[in-house]
Amino acid sequence: MHLSKKCSAFKVVLSALLIVALLQLIYLSFLSKFHGKQQRYRYSELFGGSGGKKNGHPEKNSRKERLRYSLSTGGIFDNSGQYRVYKNLIKSDLTTNQKPGSDPSSNVLALATHTTINNLHHLESLLERWHNPLSVAIFAHGQDVKFATALVYALSFFCPQIQALVDFHLVCLSGEMASFPEQDREHFAGLEDCASVFSRLETHRDQYKNYAISGNISYPNNLLRNVARGGTETSYILVIDIDMMPSADLHQQFLAMIMKREPASDEVFVLPAFEIRHARKMPATKSELVQLYQVGEVRPFYEELCPRCQAPTNYSQWVNSHVRETGTLEVAYTLTWVDPWEPFYIGPHTVPLYDENFKQYGFNRISQTCELHVAGYRFSVLSSAFVVHRGFKIQGEFHAKKDEENKRNRVLFRSFKEGLKTKYPSSNRRC
């Protein structure tokens, strides 16, 4: 009798457990179906439909239609005919809605940068520092063309700051074409917010270096710089690599400085360039940078690879002047260009373009600063502004063909300098 009661109680408990397990299975099944439906809705919202459908998101439909239109043009070929350029593939709200009489501060200084899809994840940290107009030129090849198109659209769709400030341009080989990414439902099903898009970009992180692209493809760095520059509508432009960071409040400080100066079309403003150990937090101000510099955690850019390339900046003079933060930016001193200086600078939009014959490693930036010198530009070093590269540049970390490319571009640079004599016949300056 006692045993029979125990058995009955056990059966009741077992039945209850089975019911609970069954309910959990039903709940999990419901969650799975709901999540799948939500993902399908997200994908449909992101890539499907058209501007004519009333789904409650007219501004996102408009963004979608602008992308479709940009792609439908087929882009344009560069001067060499080797590359296809989709300028303003995706335009920011700032560019799209720019009207006469709008905030003048947004027309003064823009940042222009370039990358492949494998380094685009740096955009997230760059935007934490730079809250102003930004133009990004992306080079993609093969399957990455479709991937890049989808991911930059997703960034502009999900990330408010990117919607507001960032213009994207796409460059691929002339035989390749970008298309609207509406057939990649499974591949992009996980994209549901800004963080998820950057997480997806992280999976592509450093799969290859910009100069070691699969298929022996040349990275057209100067074409990309020109495309990014041409995508801005500001009076001044700062061109940097996407893994570099400008000092905090640069935009506001430069705006205040430039408003007090007589405009000069023959002057560029140099930002001393540094590199920092990977583990260190990026300095925001000059005083923070100088502290790290003094203990060896920050050093001049390219100090190990080409110290002569940045030495004319005169780091000791810059570090030892005006260390105390005043909140104002000014010209600390003015320099004449000397070979082989290749500074990063803020320049008027009228400065000469980069020579697009230079690709891969070597002489791509120095050729342009050399032309600035021959054209008569002054190089004014700013008192407290700077740029920092994430990580030390060291020997042995470059791609295998670096020296071969450098040798080839050195020959091209000699020819380039000869061409400047014809281009600027009245100049007595030489590189």
Side-chain angles (χ1 to χ4, degrees):
M1 182 91 172
H2 184 66
L3 184 61
S4 177
K5 285 183 179 180
K6 280 189 174 181
C7 287
S8 296
F10 177 75
K11 287 178 181 179
V12 170
V13 171
L14 184 60
S15 298
L17 289 172
L18 287 172
I19 291 170
V20 170
L22 182 62
L23 288 171
Q24 285 181 327
L25 285 172
I26 293 171
Y27 176 68
L28 289 172
S29 176
F30 169 77
L31 279 183
S32 177
K33 288 180 180 178
F34 176 75
H35 182 69
K37 186 176 181 180
Q38 190 178 44
Q39 287 292 313
R40 286 192 297 274
Y41 169 75
R42 268 301 196 192
Y43 185 88
S44 175
E45 184 186 27
L46 186 59
F47 294 117
S50 68
K53 294 183 179 180
K54 298 179 181 179
N55 61 5
H57 297 283
E59 75 287 350
K60 291 181 177 178
N61 278 330
S62 176
R63 194 179 306 279
K64 193 183 304 177
E65 291 308 309
R66 289 201 301 269
L67 173 61
R68 287 185 186 275
Y69 174 77
S70 297
L71 293 169
S72 71
T73 65
I76 57 173
F77 291 153
D78 76 318
N79 291 331
S80 73
Q82 295 179 308
Y83 299 95
R84 186 186 301 270
V85 179
Y86 293 91
K87 185 179 176 182
N88 290 320
L89 180 72
I90 293 174
K91 297 175 74 172
S92 67
D93 293 341
L94 183 66
T95 303
T96 304
N97 302 323
Q98 192 76 267
K99 296 177 182 178
S102 58
D103 181 6
S105 66
S106 64
N107 298 321
V108 175
L109 175 62
L111 193 153
T113 189
H114 61 99
T115 184
T116 54
I117 199 72
N118 66 308
N119 272 328
L120 189 56
H121 62 275
H122 287 299
L123 180 62
E124 185 173 24
S125 56
L126 183 57
L127 282 169
E128 290 175 0
R129 175 69 57 86
W130 183 262
H131 306 144
N132 301 285
L134 175 60
S135 179
V136 183
I138 301 171
F139 178 68
H141 164 61
Q143 291 299 313
D144 277 354
V145 176
K146 183 179 288 187
F147 185 76
T149 305
L151 266 290
V152 297
Y153 174 57
L155 285 171
S156 74
F157 188 94
F158 288 122
C159 307
Q161 190 175 2
I162 290 176
Q163 289 174 13
L165 298 172
V166 183
D167 295 323
F168 288 105
H169 321 279
L170 180 66
V171 177
C172 57
L173 297 180
S174 57
E176 301 172 329
M177 290 189 71
S179 59
F180 196 77
E182 53 196 342
Q183 302 302 321
D184 298 310
R185 186 181 301 273
E186 291 183 11
H187 195 51
F188 297 105
L191 303 183
E192 53 189 31
D193 55 24
C194 189
S196 69
V197 185
F198 276 111
S199 295
R200 184 66 54 84
L201 286 171
E202 282 285 342
T203 65
H204 246 58
R205 178 174 183 158
D206 302 327
Q207 286 193 5
Y208 52 80
K209 293 182 172 63
N210 282 352
Y211 296 158
I213 302 171
S214 60
N216 201 28
I217 303 299
S218 293
Y219 182 71
N221 33 34
N222 277 359
L223 169 62
L224 292 166
R225 289 182 176 113
N226 286 342
V227 169
R229 266 186 54 175
T232 66
E233 298 179 0
T234 53
S235 302
Y236 291 88
I237 307 164
L238 168 61
V239 181
I240 60 174
D241 298 338
I242 201 166
D243 55 358
M244 303 189 85
M245 186 83 75
S247 49
D249 301 323
L250 171 61
H251 187 274
Q252 300 93 305
Q253 291 176 355
F254 183 79
L255 175 62
M257 182 192 80
I258 215 68
M259 292 300 183
K260 294 184 292 185
R261 292 171 58 91
E262 286 293 324
S265 60
D266 63 346
E267 182 179 29
V268 296
F269 301 95
V270 174
L271 285 73
F274 297 84
E275 52 191 36
I276 188 171
R277 292 189 192 278
H278 269 296
R280 283 291 188 175
K281 180 183 176 183
M282 283 286 190
T285 63
K286 182 174 180 177
S287 60
E288 291 178 6
L289 181 135
V290 169
Q291 288 177 8
L292 293 168
Y293 181 84
Q294 290 171 340
V295 295
E297 296 298 296
V298 162
R299 67 186 187 185
F301 186 62
Y302 256 48
E303 184 178 65
E304 183 174 329
L305 298 178
C306 183
R308 294 173 58 242
C309 294
Q310 298 296 327
T313 302
N314 197 339
Y315 285 92
S316 60
Q317 180 177 351
W318 186 84
V319 166
N320 292 315
S321 63
H322 303 290
V323 175
R324 183 175 59 85
E325 300 297 335
T326 63
T328 60
L329 192 62
E330 58 192 39
V331 171
Y333 47 92
T334 298
L335 299 170
T336 299
W337 183 88
V338 293
D339 186 36
W341 193 26
E342 46 181 24
F344 293 91
Y345 64 84
I346 295 172
H349 72 277
T350 53
V351 299
L353 294 173
Y354 294 85
D355 189 292
E356 295 173 7
N357 291 306
F358 291 92
K359 304 180 185 73
Q360 292 292 105
Y361 185 86
F363 297 91
N364 48 78
R365 284 196 308 109
I366 191 176
S367 55
Q368 199 248 5
T369 49
C370 159
E371 180 169 355
L372 292 183
H373 169 65
V374 174
Y377 281 80
R378 293 174 289 137
F379 294 80
S380 297
V381 182
L382 294 176
S383 59
S384 56
F386 56 86
V387 291
V388 183
H389 177 271
R390 194 182 303 279
F392 281 178
K393 293 271 193 180
I394 59 176
Q395 298 284 358
E397 284 195 350
F398 281 82
H399 57 294
K401 294 186 177 181
K402 165 183 170 285
D403 292 337
E404 177 186 328
E405 293 161 2
N406 200 46
K407 184 177 180 181
R408 183 173 62 248
N409 282 339
R410 187 186 301 276
V411 174
L412 182 60
F413 185 50
R414 293 195 190 106
S415 173
F416 173 81
K417 290 191 290 185
E418 286 299 311
L420 292 180
K421 295 177 182 178
T422 304
K423 189 173 181 180
Y424 302 96
S426 61
S427 175
N428 59 4
R429 294 184 174 188
R430 297 289 179 263
C431 308

